[in-house]
Amino acid sequence: MGLLGVLLLGVGLSLDTFAVSLSLGFAGCTTHRQRMRFLIVIGIFHFLMIMAGWFLGENVSRLIADYDHWVAFGLLAIVGGKMIKEGLSAEGESVNCNDLLSLRNTLLLGVALSIDALITGFSLGMVKIRLFDGPPQGNTLLAALLIGLSAFLISAAGLKIGKRVSSRLGPKAEIFGGLILIGIGVKILIEHLS
């Protein structure tokens, strides 16, 4: 696998993070610090999960593959449900920004969105990655860094686009964002169960 293959893999693993970032941008009330923390967590978790999958190998990856989709679905459904609840609240108040991207929720989203990277990390151990001449470990490390960077940048684009769209949709953006999160969770569940 060459550079183009790794970049395409990074984009593929980041599509769910883009959609989640888009829906978080719909809330429109998160602080710059919370958004940066979310982006850093997403990038680091993708990097770490790729490396962990590469180190742990096939047996652990198979065990995790049996229930990773349930974990991702549950975590996305919880955060999405919170957004919908706040969007439908009788008072018309917006999502509690301190809660939406709290450290706990950010870490939960980081785990939910990077579980597939763990399985991918195992796969990278089975193929030859040739990004540069040198030991295979260096190629895998660079591939993991590129995938983490892809997740960071694609998520940043999602947050920015979501924030712009939310100004046009108003309070409905929170409901729409919550539905997107739950939809991604359902998609992950269906893909893994079929």
Side-chain angles (χ1 to χ4, degrees):
M1 177 183 296
L3 179 61
L4 180 60
V6 169
L7 291 176
L8 289 173
L9 183 60
V11 170
L13 286 172
S14 300
L15 292 179
D16 286 344
T17 65
F18 174 79
V20 169
S21 299
L22 187 69
S23 65
L24 290 172
F26 288 158
C29 62
T30 56
T31 66
H32 177 72
R33 181 175 176 231
Q34 289 172 322
R35 290 188 302 272
M36 285 307 299
R37 180 176 61 198
F38 171 75
L39 294 173
I40 290 167
V41 164
I42 291 297
I44 289 174
F45 273 43
H46 273 74
F47 166 75
L48 291 176
M49 290 291 203
I50 291 285
M51 293 306 295
W54 185 69
F55 283 121
L56 294 175
E58 180 177 7
N59 293 330
V60 174
S61 294
R62 255 193 236 134
L63 290 173
I64 292 169
D66 289 342
Y67 62 89
D68 67 342
H69 49 283
W70 289 105
V71 172
F73 169 74
L75 297 175
L76 292 170
I78 288 169
V79 177
K82 281 184 180 182
M83 287 181 74
I84 292 171
K85 180 182 173 189
E86 293 293 335
L88 292 173
S89 69
E91 296 82 27
E93 296 172 4
S94 61
V95 172
N96 180 351
C97 293
N98 293 330
D99 188 43
L100 183 60
L101 277 180
S102 66
L103 179 59
R104 182 178 70 79
N105 283 348
T106 300
L107 293 174
L108 289 176
L109 286 170
V111 169
L113 294 171
S114 63
I115 289 176
D116 283 347
L118 185 66
I119 308 302
T120 303
F122 165 69
S123 301
L124 287 178
M126 293 176 38
V127 297
K128 291 190 184 215
I129 302 172
R130 299 308 280 162
L131 302 177
F132 64 90
D133 290 332
Q137 298 88 347
N139 284 300
T140 303
L141 180 65
L142 184 56
L145 284 169
L146 288 172
I147 290 168
L149 182 62
S150 295
F152 178 93
L153 294 174
I154 290 171
S155 297
L159 283 172
K160 188 168 191 131
I161 293 167
K163 190 169 183 177
R164 284 191 179 162
V165 171
S166 74
S167 63
R168 294 182 184 156
L169 291 177
K172 294 177 185 172
E174 295 168 8
I175 297 168
F176 187 62
L179 290 172
I180 288 175
L181 288 180
I182 293 170
I184 292 167
V186 169
K187 177 185 131 314
I188 290 169
L189 197 59
I190 290 170
E191 284 175 355
H192 285 266
L193 292 177
S194 61

